[in-house]
Structure formats: structure tokens, C-alpha cells
């Protein structure tokens, strides 16, 4: 905002063009009897060329319907892609726990563990491994937090391939085909399209 350039104007015009072309696009909530909570998490490792901080992204689903999503630059520089993904996992778990508390306040309970999908096998491995390594000491608090939720059976962390990770839309620039595929999976539909 302090030093706008031509590229910034082009990016803003591209966003306006997208919004103008999709006036009827929105999220359609479908009726579903299950109340399972799921989250997809992702991080772009050192994605900011200015300060090399990563961006965390997550989206959460209740009964297959998208209910919350967030994308935010991480507050510290990650030393590895696993660390960046691990921080994203911790944020996703916090969001799942918040949603679970809201559901419990509404007297809606689910015995199923909440699913936290991640596309980084190293981060999932660190979450399950109780041994403390020198390489993970800088993320020790997040590791203990995630491990506690795994051990209690509150969450499970299945692996999802990068091409199927819905949180990619929040952290990466995607080509139009992948973008449209993910938008469709998020439950976004065009109310003006013929039925």
C-alpha cells in the first residue's frame, strides 16, 4: 500500500475481474446427518520473498460442509517445510477444538475423532513420534499440544496427497484447472448456472 506498483494494480484488476465473472458463486450447505469435523491444513515453505516466512492455511468442514477457513503469514521463519506444516497443523487443531466446543454448547456430540488432513509425511511423523530430537526442539510446544490430542483420540492425522489438499487454495497460486477443482470440492457453486 505504501509503494504501489503496476504489478499490484494488475493483481487487483485480476481479482475484480474474477469477482465480476462469478456473481452467483457461493457456498451451498447440504443437509447431512453426520456431524464429523475435518480440517485440511497446508503451508507454503518460505513463500514470502520479503522475509521468507511461510503462510499457514486451513479449511474446516462440518458434515462435509465448509464452515471456516483462514490464511495467515506465520509469525516466525520456519527452518524446514515440516516445521511450517507442523505449525499449520497446530492452527488447524485449534480451529477444530473451537468448533467442537461450539457443537458441545449446542448439545451436538460426535464420538468420531476429528480428522486433520496434512500433505507432509514428516510433520505427521513428528506428531506421532514421542522421542524429542534436536531438530524439533524449536517447535516443542506445538509438538506436545498435537501429541496430547492424538494420544487422547480426539484427532487423527491421515495423510492427503498434495493434489487433494483443499487448503492449497489458501497458500499457493494455482493454475485455473486445479483452482476450479478445489473450489468445486469446497462446495462452492454458481447459483446462476443451469441445473
Amino acid at each position: 500500500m505504501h509503494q504501489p506498483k503496476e504489478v499490484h494494480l494488475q493483481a487487483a484488476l485480476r481479482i475484480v475481474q474474477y469477482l465480476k465473472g462469478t456473481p452467483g458463486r457461493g457456498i451451498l450447505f447440504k443437509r447431512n446427518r453426520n456431524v464429523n469435523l475435518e480440517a485440511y491444513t497446508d503451508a507454503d515453505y518460505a513463500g514470502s520473498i520479503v522475509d521468507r516466512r511461510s503462510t499457514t492455511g486451513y479449511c474446516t468442514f462440518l458434515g462435509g460442509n465448509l464452515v471456516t477457513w483462514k490464511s495467515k503469514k506465520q509469525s516466525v521463519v520456519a527452518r524446514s517445510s515440516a516445521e511450517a506444516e507442523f505449525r499449520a497443523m497446530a492452527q488447524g487443531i485449534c480451529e477444530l477444538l473451537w468448533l467442537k466446543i461450539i457443537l458441545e454448547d449446542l448439545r451436538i456430540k460426535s464420538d468420531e475423532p476429528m480428522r486433520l488432513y496434512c500433505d507432509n509425511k514428516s510433520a505427521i511423523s513428528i506428531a506421532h513420534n514421542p522421542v524429542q530430537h534436536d531438530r524439533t526442539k524449536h517447535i516443542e510446544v506445538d509438538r506436545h499440544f498435537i501429541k496430547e490430542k492424538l494420544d487422547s483420540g480426539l484427532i487423527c492425522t491421515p495423510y492427503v496427497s498434495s493434489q487433494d489438499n483443499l487448503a492449497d487454495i489458501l497458500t499457493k497460486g494455482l493454475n485455473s484447472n486445479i483452482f476450479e477443482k478445489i473450489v468445486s470440492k469446497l462446495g462452492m457453486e454458481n447459483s446462476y448456472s443451469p441445473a
Side-chain angles (χ1 to χ4, degrees):
M1 288 179 53
H2 301 292
Q3 294 177 329
K5 305 241 185 306
E6 182 67 27
V7 260
H8 299 107
L9 177 62
Q10 290 173 357
L13 290 175
R14 193 165 177 206
I15 291 168
V16 170
Q17 182 182 16
Y18 171 77
L19 293 173
K20 186 179 177 189
T22 58
R25 185 170 271 178
I27 298 173
L28 177 66
F29 291 96
K30 297 179 179 163
R31 180 181 237 172
N32 197 335
R33 297 224 182 262
N34 82 48
V35 289
N36 297 338
L37 284 169
E38 299 177 325
Y40 288 81
T41 62
D42 193 37
D44 72 333
Y45 174 56
S48 172
I49 58 172
V50 175
D51 58 10
R52 288 300 176 197
R53 291 188 181 174
S54 304
T55 300
T56 290
Y58 63 80
C59 49
T60 59
F61 293 81
L62 172 62
N65 294 303
L66 180 65
V67 288
T68 66
W69 58 93
K70 186 174 185 177
S71 180
K72 184 180 179 183
K73 189 187 274 192
Q74 293 182 358
S75 59
V76 296
V77 177
R79 292 171 153 181
S80 68
S81 61
E83 178 183 346
E85 293 276 357
F86 203 73
R87 292 184 192 280
M89 287 174 69
Q91 290 297 311
I93 290 172
C94 288
E95 187 72 6
L96 286 172
L97 292 173
W98 178 72
L99 289 169
K100 186 173 180 63
I101 289 168
I102 290 174
L103 290 174
E104 287 173 354
D105 285 348
L106 297 171
R107 293 188 174 94
I108 301 171
K109 294 205 179 217
S110 174
D111 295 329
E112 296 267 328
M114 297 178 289
R115 293 182 179 273
L116 181 76
Y117 294 99
C118 178
D119 63 0
N120 189 296
K121 290 182 179 179
S122 295
I124 293 171
S125 176
I126 291 169
H128 286 277
N129 188 357
V131 178
Q132 192 69 28
H133 296 287
D134 287 341
R135 287 182 285 182
T136 60
K137 282 190 178 175
H138 50 284
I139 54 171
E140 184 176 347
V141 173
D142 283 340
R143 193 188 72 75
H144 283 289
F145 171 69
I146 293 171
K147 182 73 172 127
E148 179 182 277
K149 303 307 175 204
L150 284 168
D151 288 347
S152 70
L154 195 58
I155 65 162
C156 62
T157 55
Y159 171 77
V160 64
S161 67
S162 291
Q163 64 190 21
D164 294 324
N165 191 345
L166 304 181
D168 272 3
I169 201 168
L170 301 170
T171 59
K172 297 172 179 67
L174 304 170
N175 71 42
S176 59
N177 292 336
I178 295 173
F179 177 82
E180 288 300 327
K181 177 184 164 191
I182 291 177
V183 162
S184 172
K185 286 185 176 182
L186 289 174
M188 293 182 71
E189 296 184 9
N190 189 347
S191 61
Y192 297 143
S193 67

